[in-house]
Amino acid sequence: MVTIEKVDTENKKQVRRFVELPYRIYADCPQWVPPLNVDAYNQLNRKKHPFHEHSDVDFFLAVRDGRDVGRIAAIENKPFNKYHSEQTADFYFYECENDMEAATALFNAVFDWSKARGLDTVIGPKGMGPLDGYGVLVFGQEHRQTMTMLNYNHSYYPSLVEAQGFVKEVDFVSCYLPADKFQIPERVRRITERVMERGHLEIKIFKNKKELLQWADQIGTAYNNAFVHNWEYYPLSQREIDFVVENIMTIADHRLIKIITHDDDVVGFLFAFHDVSAALQRAKGKLFPFGLIDILLEMRRTNMVSVNGIGILPEHQGHGGNALLYYAMGNTLLEFGQFVHVEMTQVAETTEQMRADLKNLNGVEYKNNRVYRKKI
């Protein structure tokens, strides 16, 4: 028999059970990449994570005969609901053994939690901010997870979710560009040249990490304003903007961060990161004593780079800014001489311009993360 326990986030033992459950579920899975403990525990810390300042989250464990077999979080994102005039709940942190009874019990806990708050729809997986990956991986399980930017799960997960009555809401597709496609297509090159000739938009080249950090606040503001028309958008609080920017800047190489300026204002950006998935797997969640050193060394060793975060302010879209960003990043990647594989991660199918860009850049779709919806 399966029972459901609501996690007391002040109870260290229960929090540890919630955070550590995936290690058992993916014990024999070479593709799974564990999150850093500092991040995983922070998400359950109601005093530290900025999302808890404005919204409600509860965490649940499924237990069978004294053994944890699944987990899930129920989320009410109040700024999202207010902005979109909706009454939705989200589920996230969903992990479960191939156990239909446990999966049903977990989702019933989310449904009951949501109904008690007057919410009428459950969507997910959808987390506590833009740094949390979206969706259930519906194909591409044979490929290693891209750090913790993308969700990863076993191939049986979609069937457990769909059995609860969930239907597709939106797909987030990831593409790769192999080494022989690094050369920017001629069409993109021509658009870039026209944009540069007009002189309205310019690419900012950062000399070092210190200079990048000086632009952090402006980048954060642009990040918050660039996605107002996206399906997943909600206005971030200043604490959330700071939280996102701090996380990005911690792992950023200044050469792989591109921004577009217009009269000294940041109007577009593209973030790329060294893929240090292998080092994260070896660290097993721990930065110390050797995890951090290994991650820094992996930045020099890895031949993969992940592009995760590209946006242009709505009023500057359609003027070639996207081509300018791709051109600048393409040249930088060639200059590195280190990378043979580029991944463009989790592009929503609703972002028509981005999907068109991926085709123009010869991107090959190889992962698909699906977000589901159910009326309750």
Side-chain angles (χ1 to χ4, degrees):
M1 179 179 176
V2 174
T3 58
I4 296 294
E5 290 184 20
K6 181 180 174 181
V7 174
D8 176 359
T9 55
E10 297 296 319
N11 185 313
K12 292 183 180 180
K13 183 177 180 181
Q14 278 192 319
V15 169
R16 187 183 309 114
R17 287 166 54 197
F18 188 93
V19 169
E20 293 185 358
L21 176 61
Y23 284 90
R24 191 172 76 245
I25 291 178
Y26 298 105
D28 299 318
C29 179
Q31 291 82 19
W32 180 65
V33 176
L36 292 172
N37 287 341
V38 64
D39 295 327
Y41 281 95
N42 194 33
Q43 289 170 315
L44 277 76
N45 191 318
R46 301 185 190 276
K47 297 176 182 178
K48 288 187 176 182
H49 198 289
F51 187 83
H52 295 291
E53 295 174 1
H54 58 65
S55 293
D56 294 334
V57 189
D58 277 314
F59 307 88
F60 301 92
L61 285 162
V63 184
R64 181 188 290 280
D65 301 325
R67 180 173 177 270
D68 297 332
V69 295
R71 72 175 198 181
I72 202 166
I75 302 170
E76 182 183 0
N77 187 328
K78 294 180 180 180
F80 178 91
N81 282 340
K82 181 178 180 180
Y83 183 84
H84 293 275
S85 299
E86 294 186 5
Q87 295 295 318
T88 62
D90 302 320
F91 74 87
Y92 200 64
F93 301 117
Y94 170 64
E95 302 288 357
C96 191
E97 295 183 357
N98 196 0
D99 182 333
M100 187 63 72
E101 184 184 5
T104 300
L106 286 168
F107 281 106
N108 283 340
V110 174
F111 299 152
D112 291 344
W113 185 95
S114 304
K115 290 176 183 177
R117 285 161 173 75
L119 307 177
D120 58 24
T121 304
V122 175
I123 294 176
K126 185 168 174 277
M128 297 161 55
L131 297 180
D132 294 341
Y134 296 101
V136 172
L137 188 64
V138 295
F139 79 76
Q141 280 88 358
E142 69 274 23
H143 301 291
R144 185 173 62 189
Q145 183 180 359
T146 308
M147 296 183 279
T148 54
M149 296 174 176
L150 285 175
N151 293 339
Y152 184 86
N153 52 260
H154 290 302
S155 58
Y156 63 79
Y157 273 49
S159 62
L160 292 183
V161 174
E162 292 167 10
Q164 313 307 318
F166 282 95
V167 296
K168 173 188 166 181
E169 168 73 357
V170 62
D171 283 349
F172 285 81
V173 174
S174 297
C175 297
Y176 73 86
L177 289 81
D180 60 351
K181 304 295 184 183
F182 273 15
Q183 298 293 338
I184 299 298
E186 185 58 33
R187 176 177 175 274
V188 176
R189 191 185 304 277
R190 289 197 304 269
I191 294 173
T192 302
E193 289 173 353
R194 289 200 298 269
V195 172
M196 296 177 73
E197 287 171 2
R198 289 196 296 263
H200 300 305
L201 302 177
E202 295 183 359
I203 286 285
K204 170 65 180 174
I205 305 298
F206 297 108
K207 300 182 182 69
N208 48 49
K209 184 73 168 282
K210 181 179 179 181
E211 186 183 18
L212 172 62
L213 292 173
Q214 291 171 351
W215 285 75
D217 289 343
Q218 286 180 265
I219 293 173
T221 300
Y223 187 96
N224 193 33
N225 295 332
F227 303 119
V228 292
H229 299 310
N230 284 22
W231 165 86
E232 68 274 16
Y233 174 80
Y234 72 93
L236 300 175
S237 69
Q238 187 58 51
R239 268 261 292 143
E240 286 179 300
I241 295 172
D242 294 342
F243 182 82
V244 169
V245 172
E246 181 181 353
N247 275 269
I248 290 172
M249 295 302 166
T250 299
I251 60 173
D253 183 316
H254 65 278
R255 295 167 293 178
L256 296 178
I257 304 296
K258 305 298 181 185
I259 65 170
I260 299 176
T261 60
H262 179 262
D263 295 334
D264 294 326
D265 293 325
V266 178
V267 300
F269 53 84
L270 188 156
F271 305 145
F273 307 94
H274 296 80
D275 186 343
V276 294
S277 301
L280 289 172
Q281 287 179 319
R282 292 189 292 269
K284 298 180 180 178
K286 299 176 182 179
L287 276 176
F288 303 103
F290 304 115
L292 179 58
I293 295 173
D294 193 29
I295 289 171
L296 294 174
L297 291 173
E298 187 67 19
M299 292 177 70
R300 299 181 181 181
R301 292 188 295 248
T302 183
N303 63 3
M304 301 173 65
V305 65
S306 174
V307 177
N308 186 9
I310 177 170
I312 298 174
L313 298 189
E315 61 267 32
H316 291 279
Q317 292 175 6
H319 301 296
N322 54 334
L324 194 58
L325 287 168
Y326 295 134
Y327 182 79
M329 183 59 72
N331 286 337
T332 295
L333 295 180
L334 287 170
E335 289 169 3
F336 262 83
Q338 176 180 350
F339 305 113
V340 299
H341 180 118
V342 179
E343 182 175 24
M344 309 283 285
T345 61
Q346 56 181 16
V347 177
E349 63 181 351
T350 52
T351 54
E352 295 180 4
Q353 182 60 59
M354 275 292 295
R355 296 300 296 272
D357 289 344
L358 292 177
K359 290 183 179 179
N360 290 334
L361 293 169
N362 303 307
V364 178
E365 297 183 1
Y366 81 131
K367 293 177 185 175
N368 187 359
N369 287 74
R370 178 162 296 166
V371 176
Y372 290 92
R373 168 186 290 264
K374 179 180 177 177
K375 294 285 289 185
I376 56 173

